[in-house]
Amino acid sequence: MSEVSLQHGMTRQMVAGQSMQTGMQILQASSLELKQLIRQALETNPLLEDVPDASPEALDDEPSGDLDDMKDDGWNEFTVEGHPSAEAAARRDFMYESVVAPESLKSHLMDQAVHSALTGRSREALLLLIDSLDDRGFLTESPEELEERECFSMKDMGEALAVLRGMDPPGVGARDLRDSLLIQLEQRGLKRSLAFRLVKRCWRELAAHKYGEAALLLGAEPEEVAAALEIVRSLTPDPGCAYAPGGNPHILPDVVVEESASGELEVTLTSEYLPKLSMNEQYMEMMAEGSGSRDLRQYLRKAFREGQELIRALDMRQETILKLARAIVRKQEAFFRAGPSHLKAMGMEEIAVELGVHVSTVSRACRDKYLLCKWGMRELRSFFSSGVSAGGEAASGAGENSVASGAVQELMRALIAAENPAKPLSDARLAAALQEKGVNIARRTVAKYREQMKILPASLRKGI
């Protein structure tokens, strides 16, 4: 093979790789992130332009009146050519940069990941782990599940998890509350302390306020256990609380699901935040004529390729999200018609097979995407759950006898809301009550779901 053909082949591979990276970045971007990416592209790529809205409504909004009125209405902020004046542009940019959504927990962790010492697959595993965290900073999927699904080695995933558990805020990257408290104690240098042993070995006694039994198990004096307990109480049960969205008004739905007059569930893609992009005709003509210097022609070709990649990636993103949302609605029809308690167990692998894509594509398409229906705003990721089998263990798929964890949690929430405050339901009694409703799960699974819902154990709910 000649050197020229080899170089040509390598160039094509690099272009294909860049195009794939652009597609992945656009697909997993949230609506706010996407607006920022498009704005940056419009500012840096001269071939890209935002096509104005030519709808009848937009045409009706054209200004009318004399010149003085137009100046009073702010038209003096524009130059003769119709571009914003320097002063107006500066004010606009200041407004855009000032009115932004608060930093999220994931973006805070992503910033730390960029400056970590990890490289290659270990860094990719770290980013995947961060993406799988809930608002508290707890893992929604086990590292073992992610490792198997995304084909990471045990070494890469282990290194990534270790770095994540050492990040700020302390306690992130935990599997549950107990694990989070142990991480916080370790970060304080208290791994050999009585407080660490109290959380690790006496979790049940700690939750039940049986401090005397904990002292016996640890071979410590009651006063020592009391001092260790004060250290535990100084920890946070919700590491991500400082970054909680709290009804963030900047969240926009990507998909709206409504029931039509005929009873059909209609899935509509919202694109209000997406401008319609096209290629500038003047520059296109310059490319076609071959005018300008060689450097200019190369620059325009590069800008043209990047612009085409962005437009193509945006179209693919919207198409993928729409197909994904329609598949979710088909699989979860009972939820959309009857409510959260009818959510079925469903894995991403199931949808990936139906759509004919890799499961990682489904995962990226779900990231920070929201669906609006009559049951409120829900993240697309929330429709996927491993569920529980009839025997009470975690189920890997959506078998006939499996129940979605979200549906089980809704039933638990209803049972706890109706309980007698003087005699709250223990985890064992909750499991028995769920069994009467046809949901057979183990007591330890009930405890796990209760912690995920941030509901106190029965001993601490008494009298609330």
Side-chain angles (χ1 to χ4, degrees), residues 141 149 324 328 331-332 344-354 359 362 366 381 383-387 395-399 402 404:
E141 295 182 83
R149 192 184 76 203
L324 173 62
I328 289 174
K331 297 287 185 180
Q332 301 285 5
K344 297 179 181 178
M346 182 175 69
M348 288 188 180
E349 297 83 356
E350 181 182 352
I351 296 297
V353 171
E354 180 174 334
V359 67
V362 175
C366 287
R381 190 181 293 274
F383 290 99
F384 296 94
S385 170
S386 58
S396 59
S402 60

Side-chain angles (χ1 to χ4, degrees), residues 58-79:
L59 295 175
D60 289 341
D61 291 336
E62 291 184 357
S64 59
D66 58 31
L67 184 60
D68 292 335
D69 291 337
M70 292 169 68
K71 288 181 178 180
D72 292 339
D73 289 338
W75 284 88
N76 58 342
E77 294 188 347
F78 291 83
T79 63

Side-chain angles (χ1 to χ4, degrees), residues 49 155 157 178 192 211 229 282 291 327 337 348 357 382 407 411 414 457:
E49 59 182 11
K155 177 177 178 294
M157 187 60 71
R178 179 187 183 189
R192 297 182 180 275
Y211 306 130
L229 183 61
Q282 182 178 356
S291 58
R337 296 192 183 280
M348 288 188 180
V357 298
S382 68
L411 290 173

Side-chain angles (χ1 to χ4, degrees), residues 39 77 112 123 269 384 429:
R39 180 184 170 201
E77 294 188 347
Q112 297 175 67
R123 174 171 286 195
L269 195 65
F384 296 94
R429 290 174 61 195

Side-chain angles (χ1 to χ4, degrees), residues 101-261:
E103 183 182 27
S104 67
L105 173 63
K106 289 183 180 179
S107 64
H108 178 63
L109 295 172
M110 287 290 186
D111 288 341
Q112 297 175 67
V114 170
H115 297 95
S116 72
L118 294 181
T119 58
R121 292 289 285 171
S122 296
R123 174 171 286 195
E124 292 178 18
L126 175 58
L127 298 178
L128 182 66
L129 286 170
I130 292 174
D131 193 44
S132 71
L133 299 177
D134 62 15
D135 291 339
R136 297 175 299 171
F138 293 0
L139 293 166
T140 58
E141 295 182 83
S142 71
E144 294 77 17
E145 291 173 338
L146 294 172
E147 179 184 306
E148 180 179 357
R149 192 184 76 203
E150 301 291 341
C151 301
F152 284 99
S153 68
M154 187 181 299
K155 177 177 178 294
D156 290 335
M157 187 60 71
E159 290 177 351
L161 183 62
V163 170
L164 175 60
R165 290 162 75 97
M167 286 183 171
D168 177 75
V172 297
R175 297 172 186 263
D176 50 35
L177 175 60
R178 179 187 183 189
D179 192 26
S180 178
L181 297 179
L182 291 173
I183 293 173
Q184 294 176 55
L185 288 168
E186 187 172 354
Q187 283 203 24
R188 290 190 185 184
L190 299 174
K191 189 172 183 179
R192 297 182 180 275
S193 68
L194 181 61
F196 190 91
R197 291 164 56 207
L198 179 64
V199 174
K200 186 172 185 179
R201 295 179 52 190
C202 304
W203 184 246
R204 292 184 181 178
E205 289 76 15
L206 192 61
H209 293 189
K210 296 179 179 179
Y211 306 130
E213 293 183 15
L216 290 175
L217 288 171
L218 297 174
E221 296 296 326
E223 295 80 6
E224 294 175 320
V225 171
L229 183 61
E230 288 304 311
I231 295 176
V232 175
R233 284 174 175 165
S234 69
L235 306 175
T236 174
D238 187 357
C241 63
Y243 302 91
N248 191 342
H250 296 274
I251 292 179
L252 299 172
D254 296 89
V255 179
V256 176
V257 178
E258 296 176 301
E259 189 171 344
S260 66

